[in-house]
Structures are given as C-alpha cells and as structure tokens.
C-alpha cells in the first residue's frame, strides 16, 4: 500500500513543469514507480489538479478517492508498464486508474498486467457522430417536436428497456459479431463500420467469458441510452478550424446539423468488470502481485484470468457498438419521420465512432524498437495520425477523427490525431470535459430547476427521464471543455477540426 502522506510542499517537489501545458511526475512520488508519470494541463486546469492534491495532504489522506495525480503515479508502479503513465487534460479521480489516464504494457514481458480499473466499468463507453445535410434554419421551427421524437424513439434512463427485438441467441451473436450483427439484422448501413474504431468488432471477443448474470443485465438494455453522463444531442457546427479536415468528414459550412450519441455497454459491461475484479484479486494472491492501491486489481496478461477478461471485455465492447448502432438506427428513423424523407436523402452518415474505455493490442515504438503493447485507455480517446493503417481511407491525409463530447448544454469538439500524439501518448488524447465536482457535491450545490432554466435560456430543447439527475451533469460540475481541448491542441497531441454546440439534448 501507499506510504504515509507527505506535506503538500513535499509532494510538489516530485512534480516538475516541463512545458506550458505539461508536468512530469518523478519516480518516488509514490512507491515502486517503474516509469515516470506525465499529465497535461493549462493554468486553469492545473489549479484543479493541485487543489485536489492539497486537499488530500491537508486531510491526512483520509477518505474518498485518491487525487488523480496520485492515481497516475500508482499506475506507473504496475508491472510491465512502458513509456509513461499519462494523464490527459480532463483527468480526474476514478476507480483504480484516474479517468483520463492511459498506460501501455509490454506484451512480451511475462510480468505485464491487465487491469479492469484501466478500462472502467462502462466498457467501450464512447461517442458516435452523425452528419446531416440539414442546417439550423431547418431544425429551429421543429426543434421541440424533433427533441420529443428522439426521446420517444430512444429508450433512456436507469432501467430503460430496448425496442430492438433481442433473444438470448441474438445476444450471443451480438457479443461475438459487434456491428456485423447490426448489419446482418438490417439495423445499419454497410459503410457504417468503415467509420468505426476496430470496424465495430473486436475479433478476440468470446461470449462464453461473459457471465450469465452479465447477459441477463444486457439482454433487455440493447439500444438504450442509459443515465449518468450519457446523452443524444442534436448539434450545429459553430466554428471550423481546419477546413480540409472538416470537409473530409462531410462538414462544409457553419450551422450544419449533426447528431452525437454518447453511451456504452450498460449493465452488461459493468458486470463483466465486476466479475473480473473478483477473479483478479484471487490471481494477485496466487502470483504475488503487489500494487499501491487495491482498486488496481490486475492479472498477468498471459494468465487465464487476464486472457478471460480481455475476451469478455471485447464482447462487452462489441455490445456497446451494437448499442450505439441500434440508437443510430432509431435516430435515423426519427429524423426521416420528422422531415418526411429518408436517412439516405438526409445524408445521415457516421463521421466516426470512438471508444473511451477500452484496452487494445497495438504496435508502438518504445525506446527505438517496435513493440506489441496492451494500451489501456480509460476516459481517453485513441487519436491515430495521418497515414496510420488502422484508420479509414477517407482520413488517411487528415488523421483519425477524435470526438470530444461536452456536458449538458456546453460545446463539443472534433479533433484529429497527430504524429506527435502517436509518439508522446501512444496515440491518445482527451475524451471530454472531465468532472470538477463529485456527483454528490453537484446534487448538494445545484438545483435541477436552475439547470433546466439555464438550458432553456440558451435556446436548448431538453428531454430528461429524471430531471433531478441533471444536477449531476450540469456544466458547473465539469471542467471547461474548451480548456481541455485547447491544452491538447497546444501540446500538439491532437488538432482542432471544428466545434459544435447543442440545440437539443436527450438524457436519462
């Protein structure tokens, strides 16, 4: 376990500013660090990070999650880690890994581990962006009706049940096939998977590694948005920073309408993670694996527990892609019905679909040599550069689209991957705004009526299953997404392409 809490000044002596937007965490910050840590922040985000650490020191390290900077350090102490343990600008405290923390592990190292805490409970929580050929002027007269139509089409909220017919046999196929199942059943377009990370299917998925309890939770929830920070938003293009990259994505002008869907693997993914943590705690005792924080339960990648988790995680990731694909189908139906047209005529193509909570096998250069790594991205987005073989042909000259969702009522961004990011962060960047207040504190300090009134004043139509839950997702609960994106852009780990603002929000 971690050593006794030092004073704030002693802790800060291990943190070194190395650029206008990055800090190094030197070895010794926490015990047993095998590599250094690194986190990206601008001046405002830095204050949030250091205030969290200051509070931890002043409280004697008692209660709650560890500060994000401590969690980044503890990840740097895991067996088999290479490069650095990296915190992106939206980093904040989470279970095990901080949310917004990525780390890569050398698969040729027999001691290297996989940790469910480095993926998260909502496996393959991610974002999908659809474009349309509609403009704000087309939407404004029917904005409220369209928001209601989306709300009626897409099941939302805790305990919501899907409308896509799904038998136990269908679920087995969906877990194995991912978006290929969606295409087979007629819920997607052939080109949809071309614009999806991993083409919407992780081939190592094994439904037999998903427990019956997880399947029971997942069966009724397919095609549902869920609650928490998940949403479907109708957005308009507010600003274009890179005309060439935007044009490649089908974005030509300001006020063009897009739809962003943010959801994951629902109860099924949560159960896969929970089941794996129980097994890994046993494996750690057997293999004498020691970690600084018990929430970093892990297993050797090549162990039975490690391999089983990766196969189950891949199946849950496939479920999440089917889930977003099902909601894409329902979104296309809602728009077609409202505008008495077809999704094809409305040009409702997928710009891209990215994963935020996932571990994937990738090739990267480490100390001048190409290595096969298991890259954990928790609250972090893959951001591969131009000419990378794993991104679509359309984006070979621009780099992979990176979708950065805002929080309720704030702007979102689309970025592109860079060569510098591929070198410095294993091709990873931020995923969103990142929480600044805990959910409990948000509920204590905010009233849901004022949050809804604020959205109405901005001209944003909103439909929510549980109005009181919006307090947890209010913009005041999060970091400024523009600060986060500007930090990534300034650091050169991803480039701004265009900015979106919401005109209608659907939430659980």
């Amino acid at each position: 376990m971690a050593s006794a809490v030092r004073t704030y000044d002693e802790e800060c002596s291990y943190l070194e500013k190395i650029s206008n937007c990055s800090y190094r965490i030197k070895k010794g910050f926490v015990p047993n660090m095998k590599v250094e840590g690194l986190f990206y922040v601008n001046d405002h985000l830095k204050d949030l990070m250091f205030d969290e650490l200051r509070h931890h020191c002043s409280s004697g390290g008692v209660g709650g999650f560890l500060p994000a900077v401590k969690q980044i350090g503890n990840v740097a102490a895991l067996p088999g880690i290479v490069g650095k343990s990296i915190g992106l600008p939206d980093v904040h405290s989470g279970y095990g890994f901080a949310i917004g923390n990525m780390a890569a592990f050398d698969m040729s190292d027999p001691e290297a581990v996989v940790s469910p805490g480095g993926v998260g409970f909502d496996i393959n929580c991610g974002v999908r962006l659809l474009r349309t050929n509609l403009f704000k002027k087309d939407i404004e007269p029917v904005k409220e009706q369209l928001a209601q139509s989306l709300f009626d089409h897409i099941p939302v909220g805790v305990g919501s049940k899907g409308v896509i017919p799904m038998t136990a046999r269908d679920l087995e196929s969906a877990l194995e096939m991912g978006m290929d199942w969606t295409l087979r059943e007629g819920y997607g377009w052939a080109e949809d998977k071309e614009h999806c990370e991993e083409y919407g299917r992780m081939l190592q998925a094994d439904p037999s590694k998903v427990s019956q309890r997880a399947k029971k939770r997942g069966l009724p929830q397919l095609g549902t948005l869920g609650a928490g920070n998940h949403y479907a938003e109708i957005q308009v293009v507010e600003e274009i920073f890179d005309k060439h990259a935007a044009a490649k994505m089908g974005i030509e002008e300001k006020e063009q309408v897009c739809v962003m869907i943010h959801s994951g693997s629902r109860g099924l993914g949560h159960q896969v993670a929970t089941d794996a943590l129980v097994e890994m705690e046993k494996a750690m005792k057997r293999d004498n694996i020691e970690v600084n924080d018990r929430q970093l339960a892990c297993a050797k990648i090549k162990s039975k527990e490690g391999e089983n988790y990766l196969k189950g995680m891949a199946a849950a990731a496939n479920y999440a892609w089917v889930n977003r694909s099902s909601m894409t189908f329902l979104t296309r139906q809602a728009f077609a019905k409202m505008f008495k047209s077809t999704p094809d005529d409305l040009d409702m193509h997928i710009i891209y679909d990215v994963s935020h909570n996932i571990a994937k096998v990738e090739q990267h250069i480490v100390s001048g040599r190409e290595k096969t790594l298991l890259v954990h991205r928790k609250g972090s987005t893959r951001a591969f550069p131009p000419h990378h073989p794993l991104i679509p042909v359309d984006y070979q000259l621009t780099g992979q689209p990176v979708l950065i969702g805002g929080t309720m009522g704030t702007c979102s961004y689309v970025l592109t991957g860079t060569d510098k990011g591929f070198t410095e962060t294993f091709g990873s960047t931020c995923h969103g705004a990142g929480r600044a207040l805990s959910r409990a504190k948000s509920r204590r300090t905010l009233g849901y009526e004022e949050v809804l009134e604020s959205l109405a004043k901005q001209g944003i139509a909103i439909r929510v299953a549980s109005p009181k839950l919006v307090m947890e997702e209010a913009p005041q609960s999060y970091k400024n997404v523009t600060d986060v994106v500007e930090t990534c852009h300034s650091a050169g780990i991803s480039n701004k392409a265009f900015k979106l603002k919401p005109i209608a929000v659907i939430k659980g």
Side-chain angles (χ1 to χ4, degrees), residues 258-288:
C258 295
V259 182
M260 184 174 277
I261 298 169
H262 178 202
S263 190
S265 51
R266 306 289 277 112
L268 182 140
H270 196 285
Q271 192 64 48
V272 167
T274 302
D275 293 342
L277 286 167
V278 173
E279 293 302 309
M280 287 188 181
E281 286 196 1
K282 298 174 187 172
M284 287 173 66
K285 289 177 183 174
R286 180 193 68 213
D287 295 337
N288 296 314

Side-chain angles (χ1 to χ4, degrees), residues 452-486:
L452 296 176
E453 187 179 328
S454 170
L455 292 169
K457 284 180 180 176
Q458 295 176 59
I460 298 171
I462 182 161
R463 297 293 185 277
V464 288
S466 176
K468 292 186 179 180
L469 284 181
V470 304
M471 298 178 300
E472 298 178 4
E473 301 305 318
Q476 302 95 305
S477 301
Y478 284 81
K479 298 175 182 179
N480 183 328
V481 69
T482 299
D483 273 337
V484 170
V485 167
E486 291 291 352

